[in-house]
Amino acid sequence: MDPFGLSPALILLFVGFGFMVGVLFGFFGMGGSFLITPTLLILGYPASVAIGSGLAFYFGTSVIAVLKHYDIGQVNYKLGAILFVTLSIGIELGSMLVFALERVGVAELITGIAYVVLLAGIGMLFLRRAMNLSDETEDDEVGPSDEEIPAIAQKIQSYRIPPMISLASGGRASLWTMSGAGGSVGVLSGLLGVGGGFMRMPAIYYLIGTPLTVAVGTSLFAGLFSGAYGAFTYGMSGSVALPVVTMLLIGSALGARLGSAATTMVEEDEVIVYFGIMMLLASAGVGFSELANWVGFGFLDVLSVVLLVGSSFFVGSIILYSAAKAYTPSSDEPATATKQDS
């Protein structure tokens, strides 16, 4: 064993896993703690440690993204501050629920089932979006759809329940809507040990009604503080595995840079279907782990780790391959033409 208390195999696993999760984070703008926490659960870490470590990892990766979005004006600071408060309250409630479930002895079961349902649902949503991409491209003739307010957000904004808050991106939203969206995501973040970016960003976009680009930046800004608060909450109880988080962040630091660079060379639409598949594979991995606990078949635990970790390596490898292919000049084209296209 090394000074960190991890075997060489685990160090290699965590650094490599963190690298691929960082690639996904940099490319999709969403943290990978939704993969970290169930992986730690499968590897035998207690639910509170897996959740606390997932939140600590999300905080570290969020710092990179917030610095990138800070200079390009894609952060609504007023909304982010409100969400920080409500997210923090929600995370506190979620963490209290986890510790209560641990005392009863069902924390791992409840967390695992919640992951199966949540990851599968999000995976199917991404695959549905991928199936409709061609139709959306054909219909997008007026302007970028990212700047349109979804119909559900327009409906929610029509209920003007005071106090109303002016959004920096235009429009007004009720403080109660913001609080409800932030609090709900916060409870799930505290319960599942995720930064909540893959839930928080859609909530800001669909429920509060900001442009998608602003929703991404504001989500990351709010997540930076909520992730720090969540990590602190679990850390105070000794539920953050610092050696594990350190190894994950070492890999993620490089992966996030490469993933961010890949966004300038690869269209996200080319990979989004694989992201949906990754979510479904991760859901299956957690499901097999829960099934293994019930029936006692060890090979199901092995299969669950392969699906969960392998899914991130699969999609991350596709992103890196697509970026390298786009970056490398084609042998059929002159080098000068390639430079002009880039």
Side-chain angles (χ1 to χ4, degrees):
M1 299 291 286
D2 71 300
F4 283 102
L6 299 174
S7 67
L10 281 178
I11 290 177
L12 182 62
L13 171 65
F14 288 137
V15 172
F17 191 35
F19 171 79
M20 283 304 181
V21 170
V23 171
L24 300 175
F25 176 82
F27 189 83
F28 290 105
M30 290 182 285
S33 55
F34 64 91
L35 291 172
I36 298 297
T37 302
T39 299
L40 294 180
L41 287 172
I42 290 172
L43 291 176
Y45 287 86
S48 58
V49 174
I51 293 170
S53 300
L55 286 168
F57 172 79
Y58 180 80
F59 167 67
T61 52
S62 292
V63 172
I64 302 172
V66 170
L67 290 176
K68 183 179 70 174
H69 285 269
Y70 174 79
D71 294 328
I72 54 181
Q74 292 183 347
V75 178
N76 188 324
Y77 296 102
K78 181 189 297 183
L79 175 58
I82 294 173
L83 289 176
F84 162 62
V85 174
T86 56
L87 281 165
S88 299
I89 296 173
I91 288 175
E92 180 67 26
L93 294 175
S95 64
M96 292 171 60
L97 179 58
V98 168
F99 292 124
L101 292 174
E102 276 197 332
R103 288 192 292 270
V104 179
V106 296
E108 285 82 358
L109 175 63
I110 298 299
T111 302
I113 293 176
Y115 261 113
V116 171
V117 175
L118 186 60
L119 292 175
I122 293 174
M124 287 186 287
L125 285 176
F126 269 87
L127 289 178
R128 180 181 179 184
R129 178 188 172 192
M131 293 174 62
N132 296 330
L133 283 178
S134 58
D135 294 336
E136 292 178 3
T137 302
E138 293 176 0
D139 295 338
D140 188 18
E141 299 178 353
V142 178
S145 59
D146 286 358
E147 300 303 317
E148 298 176 357
I149 297 178
I152 186 173
Q154 296 181 30
K155 183 68 174 178
I156 291 175
Q157 287 187 5
S158 68
Y159 299 109
R160 299 186 174 276
I161 304 175
M164 299 294 294
I165 306 296
S166 297
L167 302 175
S169 54
R172 290 164 60 84
S174 171
L175 177 64
W176 298 106
T177 301
M178 300 179 184
S179 301
S184 300
V185 173
V187 170
L188 288 175
S189 296
L191 176 63
L192 301 179
V194 297
F198 67 102
M199 298 180 292
R200 185 174 57 249
M201 185 274 287
I204 296 174
Y205 178 53
Y206 284 103
L207 301 182
I208 298 176
T210 69
L212 187 56
T213 53
V214 177
V216 171
T218 304
S219 172
L220 291 169
F221 175 71
L224 173 65
F225 296 101
S226 63
Y229 182 82
F232 175 78
T233 298
Y234 281 89
M236 289 295 292
S237 64
S239 298
V240 174
L242 290 179
V244 173
V245 174
T246 300
M247 294 299 103
L248 290 168
L249 288 176
I250 289 175
S252 176
L254 176 59
R257 291 176 65 88
L258 293 178
S260 298
T263 60
T264 64
M265 294 177 281
V266 182
E267 291 293 334
E268 182 179 338
D269 294 346
E270 297 179 12
V271 189
I272 194 171
V273 63
Y274 298 108
F275 186 77
I277 293 174
M278 180 188 68
M279 289 287 205
L280 292 179
L281 290 175
S283 174
V286 179
F288 280 125
S289 176
E290 293 301 317
L291 185 60
N293 293 333
W294 294 339
V295 301
F297 292 161
F299 76 92
L300 291 176
D301 271 328
V302 176
L303 180 59
S304 66
V305 174
V306 170
L307 286 173
L308 196 60
V309 179
S311 62
S312 66
F313 275 81
F314 172 66
V315 178
S317 297
I318 290 176
I319 294 173
L320 294 177
Y321 171 78
S322 301
K325 185 177 180 180
Y327 179 79
T328 304
S330 173
S331 59
D332 298 332
E333 300 177 358
T336 55
T338 303
K339 292 180 180 180
Q340 290 175 357
D341 294 338
S342 61

